[in-house]
Amino acid sequence: MEIKQRLNEVLVKLFRMINSIEEQAIKTEEYKNVTTNDMHVIEAIGIGCPRNMTAVAKTLGVTTGTLTIAVNSLVKKGFVERVRSEEDRRVVLVSLSEKGKKMFVHHQKFHEEMIDAVISQLDEGEKSILEKALRNLNSFFMEKNRST
């Protein structure tokens, strides 16, 4: 089998498995009502300073209207808090509630385990090559996303 065909097979399987396993990893009794999409929004908001909706939407590559729908759901579920900016009352800032921060850390642990598993048997040179390959893949997706 040619290398391109093998890589395609691996990448397609990886994308499917990552989505499936990530969904399973976030589903605990405490977080049974959290979707993968919810988790991506929580991750984009992050645990730092409150962020404006436009910045979060840009991080996710979605419109502010799409983000508003997701944030409304997360506010109802108790993961996100929304406030108006003191400097400009037109600007809506979002941040994670304590429950949202806890979910963020829970999900971050999954990502750490995944990365540790990927690099555990690689030497420094192989890690650098893997990083370069993944950056190239990321650039490809970013370019495709821009052109759609």
Side-chain angles (χ1 to χ4, degrees), residues 26-71:
I26 62 174
K27 295 286 183 185
T28 64
E29 187 58 34
E30 187 176 3
Y31 305 119
K32 62 184 172 213
N33 66 341
V34 177
T35 67
T36 304
N37 187 56
D38 289 342
M39 191 58 245
H40 291 153
V41 174
I42 288 169
E43 198 170 37
I45 293 170
I47 55 175
C49 296
R51 297 186 69 200
N52 71 53
M53 293 283 284
T54 304
V56 176
K58 186 175 180 182
T59 298
L60 292 167
V62 300
T63 65
T64 51
T66 298
L67 178 63
T68 298
I69 293 166
V71 166

Side-chain angles (χ1 to χ4, degrees), residues 69-84:
I69 293 166
V71 166
N72 287 345
S73 172
L74 287 167
V75 168
K76 285 179 188 169
K77 293 176 183 180
F79 291 98
V80 172
E81 296 170 345
R82 183 185 302 157
V83 296
R84 294 249 175 225

Side-chain angles (χ1 to χ4, degrees), residues 7-140:
L7 287 172
N8 181 66
E9 190 176 296
V10 168
L11 286 172
V12 169
K13 285 180 182 178
L14 268 173
F15 287 129
R16 286 184 189 139
M17 286 177 56
I18 287 171
N19 283 334
S20 174
I21 291 170
E22 187 173 37
E23 196 169 295
Q24 292 170 23
I26 62 174
K27 295 286 183 185
T28 64
E29 187 58 34
E30 187 176 3
Y31 305 119
K32 62 184 172 213
N33 66 341
V34 177
T35 67
T36 304
N37 187 56
D38 289 342
M39 191 58 245
H40 291 153
V41 174
I42 288 169
E43 198 170 37
I45 293 170
I47 55 175
C49 296
R51 297 186 69 200
N52 71 53
M53 293 283 284
T54 304
V56 176
K58 186 175 180 182
T59 298
L60 292 167
V62 300
T63 65
T64 51
T66 298
L67 178 63
T68 298
I69 293 166
V71 166
N72 287 345
S73 172
L74 287 167
V75 168
K76 285 179 188 169
K77 293 176 183 180
F79 291 98
V80 172
E81 296 170 345
R82 183 185 302 157
V83 296
R84 294 249 175 225
S85 168
E86 291 297 320
E87 293 84 43
D88 184 345
R89 302 292 294 158
R90 296 170 296 174
V91 175
V92 175
L93 301 174
V94 289
S95 60
L96 299 181
S97 65
E98 285 306 311
K99 184 177 177 182
K101 290 175 184 175
K102 194 172 170 189
M103 179 66 216
F104 180 92
V105 170
H106 169 74
H107 186 65
Q108 194 172 36
K109 286 179 186 171
F110 165 76
H111 280 262
E112 288 172 11
E113 290 172 10
M114 178 178 64
I115 297 304
D116 288 345
V118 169
I119 65 172
S120 67
Q121 296 182 24
L122 300 179
D123 63 35
E124 291 307 311
E126 292 167 325
K127 290 175 189 175
S128 292
I129 291 168
L130 176 61
E131 180 184 8
K132 182 178 181 180
L134 292 175
R135 285 187 185 281
N136 289 344
L137 185 60
N138 190 51
S139 294
F140 170 79

